[in-house]
Amino acid sequence: MNTVTPEVILTDVLNLLNQLARDWEYSGEITSETWLFADLGFESIDAVILASFVQEHYGRPFPFPQLLAEIGEREVKDLRINELVEFICQHSNTDAAGAKA
Amino acid sequence: MSSPDLPQTEPGSRDVAIVGMSCLFAGARDLDAYWHNIISKVDSVSNPPAGEWDPEIFYDPESKSNDRLYCKRGGYIGDIADFRPTDFGIMPLAVDGGEPDQWLALRVAHEALADAGYEQRPKEHVRTEVVLGKGTYVNRGNLTAGYHSIVVENLVQVIRTLHPEYTDAEAAEIKKELKACLPPFSADTAPALIGNIIAGRIANRLDFMGPNFTVDAACASALLAVEIGVRDLLSGKYDLVLAGGANVSVPMPTMSLFCQLGALSRKERIRPFDKAADGTILGEGLGMVVLKRRKDAERDGDRIYALIKGVGVASDGRAVHVMAPRVEGEELALRRAYEMAEISPDTVGLIEAHGTATPIGDVIEVQALSRVFGGRKGALPTCALGSVKSMIGHTMPAAGIAGLIKTALALYHRVLPPTLNCEEPNPALNLQQTPFYVNTEMRPWIHSGPTPRRAGVNSFGFGGINAHAVLEEYPVEKVAARSHQIHWETEVCIIEAESRQQLIDQCDRLHAFVAGVTSASLKDLAYTLNGGLQELPFRLAVVAASLEDLGTKLKTAAGRLSDPRCTQIKDNGGVYFFEQPLNGKLAFLFPGEGAQYQNMLLDLCIHFPEVRHCFDLTDLAQMHGKRDILPSERIFPRSILSPDERKHVEDALWQINGAVEGVLTGNWAMWTLLSHLEIRPDVIAGHSTGDYSAMLASRIIDLPNEAYLETILELNRAHERLSAQMLVPEATLIAVAADSATVMAVATAAGGELHLAMDNCPHQAVLVSSKEAAERVIEQLRSRGLIYEILPFDRPYHTPMFSAYAYGAGEEFFAGLPIAAPRIETYSCTTADRYPTEVEAIRNLYVDHWIRPVLFTETVRKMYDDGVRLFVEAGPRGNLTAFVSDILRGQPHLAMPSNLSRRTGVTQINHLVGILAAQGVAMNTDYLYARRSPKKIEWREAPSKATSAAPPAMRLNIGLPLLKVAPRPERARMAAPAANNGEASVRIASNGSSQTAPARPMALPATNGNMGADAPHRRAAAAAASARTESAFGQPMSEIRAATSSAAGVMQQYLASMQTFLDVETQVMEAFLRRAGGTPSVPQNHALPMLGTIASLVPNQELTAQRTLSIGEDLFLLDHALGRPVSLTDPHLRSMMVVPLTMGMEILAEAAVALLPGHLLVGMKDVKAHHWIQVDDTPVPLHISARRVSPSASEVAVQVRNAGDSKLLLEGVMVLGTSYSPGPRPSLAPLDEERPSALASADLYDGRLMFHGPCFQGVAAVDRSGRNGVDGRLRTLPANGLFRSNRSPKFVIDPVQLDAAGQLVGFWAAEHLERGFVVFPYHLERLHVFGPPSVAGDMLQCRVRLQLQGTETITSDIDLIASDGTVHMRLEGWADRRFDPPKQLHAGWTRPLEATISEPWTTPISAIEPSGVFECVRLDTTVASGTGLWKELWPSLVLTQNERRVFRERHVSEARQLEWLSGRTVAKDAVRLFVRSHYGLTLLPADIEIAQDEHGKPTATGLWTEQIPHVPDLSISHSGKLAAAVVCDGSKQRIGIDVQMIRELTADFEDIVLTSDEKQLLASVPQGMRQQWLLRMWCTKEAVSKALGRGLIEGPSSVGIIGLDVRTGIVYSRPEGKLAAVTSGAALREMPCYTAVEGACVVAIAVTERGTL
């Protein structure tokens, strides 16, 4: 199976964010360190929509419910873009088999 | 005591109203700042301000000694203690010697009265009482008296015992020097040292005739003052009371006393009620309140902050110790207060505790409170507890007023203020057993009880004296609430234009304004901009946190707008622009459950009472429901709760009742706010429960607020009943990230009781599942990889499972409501269409809405199809906005939340207002500013550079004076001669004093030997270490000199140089880094004090820097002013200030040293001053550029330009090196015709010769002078007074010393030249530097050899010679330009007290002198012709602050300016002569302001008028180049003067001026004199009308001429017509007018006796 690199995923995620944002602009540059909620002003539905975009884009499910639940339990209820990239990367490359099991 | 509220015979008759307040506490210079700090949790406790006392000496955390402090932090007011004496008719010169509390108390009293509205109306003089709490501690004023009267003399005696070698004269000099450190102590300052006059002065200056006195009850003083005031008002004795307390300074002795008591915190942190509390922190400040009986205040329409219901006072009786608190005493004070107030403590929601943070004090206090308040009654505590001491320290006699003011403001603004530093309440307080909780966050004071909001204030004093005050809010509808929080964290600014290009221009203009303005408030700018909108088509909105932020965003926006491809800006940072507004309908969407969150809309409750009131009403509804937790307790939870309490509160917000109340209240509050902003929706809709809000907003349910909120309770009760009956099954709610079709497919696959409840958007639908089916659904969702979330609700809303409710309680509930057709078009999410208009259909739809799904996606699409383009979510959080964006993805629309949990309420409102305004939506933005004292400002013009008319306030010294003497090096060397045996004597200087340390052996080799490889390193480190206690150039130059001949000396010099490098490099880095912080370019670092902020730096190549010169920072300017002093009454008024050339040279030198790291300045070449650098009230920005002359050369060319107009001011080439060359022997020629100088040292700076102030008085003696030069001595002066913020500047060259060297040329010129003796340097060919700057106290020989070059220039060669006889610095070709100042101006400048610029003129008054005392002067206005310098100087010598502004702002010809200035000058001189001869009062011209009375007659005003019984009467006249003024005793007479140059008159002049009778009179004059007499008649008319105080109100006919006496020159006249009518008594009187011809002019003078008017 093809290994997806984080660099490619980051580009994908930034593109998806762009779609999500539509005509809104962000004063600051969006980087892998950007927080989805605090910096980009996400509401919870935005996170879900982004997750759907991700799944549509890759044509496969990811365990987003766990990720979202995990965020809900954090002290800072937020997610950095690089965490999302890592999440996508990890599940793209390792648990495809696990998901089937 | 726990008696319930007793009915009063006349409600409120025993209430006292607080109608005015003012205060000054640490960090807060006024009431607004105090409140802002309190609610913003500002900790104003700090280290002592610099210069107060030296912690290096007195601070020792380990010591128990009584002259050491273990705690140095406090609530200090150092920076904000200022006072404007002239506002109160107080001579500024009398201020410093007094107790500063008297001046601040006067200021605060005045402010409190102004706050009470007594500036606009007459105050009650006779029945006003002034009572102030005040301690009897040793403070500045009394210590000054002690120093003057005893200590200084004692000290001198001690010195003489230790140093018998001092002569009497030297001892006298030491004494003089010590006394010079002190403020004055004399008859003038004595009243300000008498304690009770703090109150007396208020009564005196503000004219009150009730009693005035101070009370001292230690820390309870202020509340006792209030108690007395309340008592005296209620007894009817007095009608107005000014009460308060003052503790303006916390001097060392007081700190010591508290250290000895162990009462101060060893951790230096004040933590009231905290587990870790270990003592208090003292604070400075004062506050006052204005009190009236409630009914009087209501009668007078006063703004009432709060009502005082009762004050209780009690002593501790026999406590264990006079210093120990006793619970019984505190309890008794509380009980007495509540008895007097006739209210139950149960109704109190806030206690401002004494709360000193001493553990025992806090525990006893809570015990006393608990005894009176009883135990905990409900699940949660009900009364907030706090102490402002946590922010400002314990202000002792003022503590009670600090607490009272805070509490009154809390009641006025309905806010529960936070307390700092309480992280974990002390368990010993047992708070869980009490009704109290420590409130650590600002929270809106939501309140719903049957009684008004109430609060108590504690204040307990040493000596066992306790006080408690009970306060109550004034009813809300009567409050004209001005906010005390006028600045918000962001503001929205909207600009608009007819075209896009105009919008860009507008944007640029606003940017220019913002960049240039210094003092405008962003709030006022926003108010001005937004209030002036006219619905122009192109709009830009910017949300900004500061003017700077606004500027940045405007600049970016202008750039983007200039790009034609940019069609919109929609930046979440807050910049909004739309080329094409959407032009659709505007919808409001109300969210449903799930939108509520803790602390939602919190700041909006604070800023907008109308918003807070919505929450009050919800609480009120619930109060009737008797639920254990009120909505406000869930929404705005207490910050400190036990874990159980916290969970209880958090869960409650998500249980159905809490959720419904929460979201509906939030929606209602937001609707209220948007309604006040007049943002009107075209259509509205509500999501799920939000439907209820929509029905309310559209008046489908037609109820007033209160009743509406009651219905929520009803609704919830219905739910509760059903739950109890188990009629509604519990369900699982699952939000699935998919569209409704997918979700339904899942439901079908799972099977069982499953319903689609909400179709929110394409990415979310909510499924309601029976508990039984839930697991299967989740399995399905997992297998399909769908994202889902189980929602924290269990009600099967919007499904048939809810039928039992819908058709039961729901229908019944709804049937009871008044229903009407919607007034605003409303969409139902049940039908995805508009609401029906028939009442029955609406009722049916409401029932359906509970059992049918929420079709939000479809509804939004329908609204879109119907033309809605703008969607505003009118409720908390912003979820619906995201749904709308998902639904309408790809279609042009705008969805915007009014609230977000991640932004403050006001910031999001600003964003909403901005984006809607940019879309062209109409609204009323004034509501945003209504309570914040908005002011219109003018921004289209360039910012005015004129400062405000009022002179700046004096900063008061409140600390104790420090005694210092200058080092006496000659003497010190005598006592310990410098060794020349290879050891160096090292002087250690600290705290301005110095001592000679025993020579420290440095173990240096005796010869030029090698030191070993690591030695230089070690030496450098040693030097660096020693430099920490010494100045950077720590070695006294004289000693380096003395040692230079030896190897040790070479080493010493090397080390000094090394240290110089290190210092300079560090400072260069810091100066460079300062740029990033954007701090103002004031010299904050010791080195490079003149270089400012480095803007760019390529080391060894190029450097640019910015330095702004201002009189605020660059104090040296004040001592380099031509003409000083210019005013005796306004110490801030300066004459013309110019930057000394040598200070300019220092800039050049600093730039060069900064550019070439590791180099020293060893010389300069070709320094040229191209222009004066003159500084007045407007700061002068300098642009400094330096570049290396060539890559290899150690030469740097530096230029200084005016950054404003780029004019080149100064330039020169700096020569650098890595070490100094040894100083050569002096080689200048001997003096020709040498003789002792005639100038005695004492006369050098008496003002006649030199204008230099103390900072520049560096010439110690002029010894010998000759035809070709002069020899003198220069004393190296301390540099600590040259800059405000840099007390120990380290110069590269010593500009003060160089200036002094140049002054010798001036002294020579004064002694030898008949003309051109005023000299200013402008050029220097060459400077050689042979060593680091000398240290303060060193004495240098200075020899000047000069030559006159033509008539305009003097060039000099100058050697500065060190004590070892070598040259320290050599100047070659120092060129001075010679000036001949106009005689009059020169006299006015050098002898301001005696001289006048005008000359006395006796002719006009000689004839009238028998009738009174007169002074008359005249001036040839060509006095200032010639060079520009004198034109600049003249106004600065004579004009007051106000007049200077008028002069600057007059846009008239130079001739008119000159005439105006001459008129003022003669008037002032005449007044000066008069008051000197008549009253013995000496004034300077700028003490006198020439104003005009209501009829245009000139009058002389100023503070001095209070010192004389009558203001003199004055008249001025001009003609041609002549100005004249005359003055007489205004109590007896009025005077008029007129002058006319004799000149050819036009033929019709006579016809215009004279009547036919008058012409006949003129005809009787001999032919040859007619011209002259015509002018005399004309002058008579003018002079007489001026003497009548009116002028020729009807032209020449106003005064009739009825006779002439050609022999005496008297012209007889009579006022006519209107002039006669308004001057009744004089109307028929024949008035003689004395006329004369002198030189080329005619003068007439008329006098009227006062009695005739």
Side-chain angles (χ1 to χ4, degrees), chain B residues 138 399 403 419 462 477 572 607 738 785 824 877 977 1037 1157 1336:
Chain B
V138 172
T419 283
F462 282 150
E477 67 273 17
N572 78 331
H607 296 312
I824 305 171
R877 199 189 282 272
M1037 203 210 62

Side-chain angles (χ1 to χ4, degrees), chain B residues 1383-1639:
Chain B
K1383 186 170 97 276
Q1384 302 93 319
L1385 285 185
H1386 187 244
W1389 153 32
T1390 54
R1391 295 181 293 118
L1393 286 170
E1394 310 97 77
T1396 55
I1397 295 172
S1398 328
E1399 57 172 340
W1401 194 20
T1402 52
T1403 309
I1405 50 175
S1406 54
I1408 55 171
E1409 257 171 344
S1411 68
V1413 181
F1414 305 92
E1415 292 290 347
C1416 182
V1417 298
R1418 65 177 170 179
L1419 177 64
D1420 181 346
T1421 60
T1422 52
V1423 60
S1425 60
T1427 92
L1429 171 65
W1430 316 118
K1431 277 186 208 127
E1432 300 273 358
L1433 179 59
W1434 183 4
S1436 76
L1437 291 176
V1438 300
L1439 298 182
T1440 66
Q1441 216 57 279
N1442 278 329
E1443 290 169 336
R1444 285 184 186 189
R1445 199 183 62 255
V1446 172
F1447 187 68
R1448 270 198 303 271
E1449 291 172 3
R1450 281 164 57 94
H1451 297 291
V1452 297
S1453 69
E1454 186 166 301
R1456 299 284 296 167
Q1457 283 292 65
L1458 216 52
E1459 186 181 289
W1460 189 87
L1461 185 57
S1462 313
R1464 253 104 199 119
T1465 305
V1466 289
K1468 287 164 186 244
D1469 279 341
V1471 170
R1472 289 173 64 209
L1473 291 173
F1474 184 85
V1475 297
R1476 188 157 67 200
S1477 64
H1478 213 54
Y1479 302 113
L1481 181 65
T1482 298
L1483 296 175
L1484 289 172
D1487 290 322
I1488 301 164
E1489 181 152 322
I1490 303 300
Q1492 290 187 326
D1493 72 7
E1494 71 271 30
H1495 304 301
K1497 184 171 172 74
T1499 60
T1501 65
L1503 279 176
W1504 53 276
T1505 56
E1506 296 185 3
Q1507 303 192 345
I1508 59 173
H1510 298 287
V1511 182
D1513 195 67
L1514 165 70
S1515 181
I1516 310 173
S1517 182
H1518 306 272
S1519 180
K1521 290 170 183 164
L1522 180 71
V1526 65
V1527 160
C1528 69
D1529 182 340
S1531 68
K1532 301 194 179 88
Q1533 296 165 321
R1534 283 185 168 205
I1535 196 154
I1537 187 169
D1538 198 60
V1539 294
Q1540 288 294 330
M1541 301 307 291
I1542 297 174
R1543 58 190 184 274
E1544 246 353 275
L1545 297 171
T1546 55
D1548 55 355
F1549 185 85
E1550 186 177 324
D1551 293 336
I1552 296 165
V1553 169
L1554 301 184
T1555 63
S1556 53
D1557 289 353
E1558 290 165 347
K1559 283 183 194 166
Q1560 282 185 7
L1561 279 175
L1562 183 61
S1564 70
V1565 173
Q1567 181 65 42
M1569 294 165 72
R1570 283 211 190 130
Q1571 180 92 336
Q1572 184 204 103
W1573 275 90
L1574 173 57
L1575 281 173
R1576 287 187 192 229
M1577 289 167 80
W1578 167 240
C1579 287
T1580 295
K1581 287 172 180 253
E1582 287 275 14
V1584 167
S1585 68
K1586 287 176 177 177
L1588 290 168
R1590 292 303 186 114
L1592 292 171
I1593 52 181
E1594 289 179 304
S1597 67
S1598 304
V1599 175
I1601 307 294
I1602 53 177
L1604 307 173
D1605 185 333
V1606 179
R1607 189 179 47 83
T1608 58
I1610 295 177
V1611 177
Y1612 297 93
S1613 71
R1614 185 170 62 200
E1616 306 278 2
K1618 211 182 264 178
L1619 185 61
V1622 294
T1623 56
S1624 56
L1628 300 171
R1629 201 171 290 250
E1630 181 183 88
M1631 290 183 55
C1633 180
Y1634 303 88
T1635 68
V1637 172
E1638 177 148 321

Side-chain angles (χ1 to χ4, degrees), chain B residues 1168-1190:
Chain B
K1168 283 186 207 144
H1170 295 278
H1171 290 279
W1172 302 101
I1173 308 178
Q1174 192 193 329
V1175 183
D1176 54 23
D1177 294 342
T1178 312
V1180 176
L1182 301 178
H1183 176 82
I1184 302 151
S1185 58
R1187 63 176 173 77
R1188 199 168 190 172
V1189 171
S1190 74

